[in-house]
Amino acid sequence: MRHTEFFKALMTGLTMTVLAVATSAKAETSELAQMVKPWSTSTHIGYATNDQSSTGFRQAGGSVVLLDVSRPINSHVDIGLRSIASGAEDPSHQFYRLGAGPLVSYNINQNWALQGAIAFFNEAGIGLQGQKSYQSRGQQVLLGWERIWRISRRIELAGGSFATYHQGTISPLAESRTSGLAAGSTAIIDAKMNRGISHGAELALRLRL
């Protein structure tokens, strides 16, 4: 009889110990999950117009694609990496620019956010006949804002506006000096620096992983 009572007491103690360990493990897992901030990816599609351009693209417009990978560091600030692909054309020539760099997003609240990014870019100018007229490397700064609509716990839609400034060195190609580019494209050949300001609007789809 004493052995039976001892066995029951032992089983009760073991059961309580297992429950305590399980509860503690669950609490630690929950705390760890809160500490590990979720990553998110965003795809932005937009259009931008060049307000100023040292390479002859003033008032020329084109599409912009932004690809983001970011994660929150607190309740208001996200940091990550942004890739920027853009281009524009006018009657005489066109350009394509691709860059990437750090991204910081400040969430004012659940519906509004401010964003800033710096990208290190490569750019190529193309003439009417498809010949490359110049190459450029430099830095681009993008500042913008977004209005956010939460579709579900993991999916968000956003829309907003942005402004950019870019500056870089420019390297005219030998072929561009003799290829007879269309009128107005001499600004490309004569420019020593690639500078410009543009503004635009974009729509985004964000997925929280």
Side-chain angles (χ1 to χ4, degrees):
M1 188 67 177
R2 291 181 179 176
H3 291 289
T4 301
E5 292 177 353
F6 175 77
F7 181 74
K8 288 182 179 180
L10 179 61
M11 290 302 296
T12 300
L14 288 175
T15 302
M16 294 179 65
T17 301
V18 170
L19 290 175
V21 171
T23 301
S24 177
K26 184 177 180 180
E28 290 179 359
T29 302
S30 177
E31 291 177 359
L32 181 61
Q34 292 178 0
M35 291 175 60
V36 178
K37 304 295 185 180
W39 288 86
S40 66
T41 62
S42 303
T43 302
H44 311 246
I45 305 295
Y47 186 89
T49 300
N50 292 279
D51 302 304
Q52 297 180 19
S53 174
S54 66
T55 53
F57 290 100
R58 188 172 183 274
Q59 300 305 317
S63 58
V64 177
V65 177
L66 310 176
L67 301 176
D68 301 342
V69 177
S70 62
R71 62 171 297 178
I73 59 174
N74 57 44
S75 60
H76 287 286
V77 179
D78 293 9
I79 60 173
L81 176 69
R82 167 166 285 181
S83 299
I84 305 175
S86 60
E89 62 179 325
D90 64 11
S92 64
H93 54 292
Q94 55 191 317
F95 78 86
Y96 299 96
R97 183 185 304 139
L98 179 63
L103 166 70
V104 177
S105 179
Y106 179 76
N107 304 300
I108 300 173
N109 52 42
Q110 292 187 347
N111 298 322
W112 296 93
L114 302 176
Q115 295 180 334
I118 299 175
F120 300 88
F121 69 80
N122 285 312
E123 180 180 323
I126 309 296
L128 284 178
Q129 306 302 320
Q131 71 275 27
K132 185 179 293 185
S133 57
Y134 72 89
Q135 292 178 324
S136 177
R137 294 173 179 267
Q139 298 81 42
Q140 181 176 14
V141 177
L142 185 150
L143 301 175
W145 59 267
E146 282 187 338
R147 171 69 166 89
I148 302 168
W149 294 272
R150 296 185 181 276
I151 305 302
S152 68
R153 187 170 65 89
R154 293 182 178 273
I155 299 176
E156 297 175 351
L157 290 177
S161 182
F162 60 88
T164 73
Y165 171 78
H166 72 272
Q167 176 175 309
T169 58
I170 191 166
S171 303
L173 303 181
E175 63 185 63
S176 69
R177 302 179 185 276
T178 58
S179 59
L181 297 179
S185 62
T186 54
I188 294 177
I189 301 174
D190 295 337
K192 295 181 179 179
M193 292 294 294
N194 179 11
R195 295 191 183 95
I197 298 174
S198 62
H199 73 278
E202 51 91 8
L203 294 174
L205 175 64
R206 182 173 295 110
L207 174 63
R208 297 197 178 275
L209 305 179

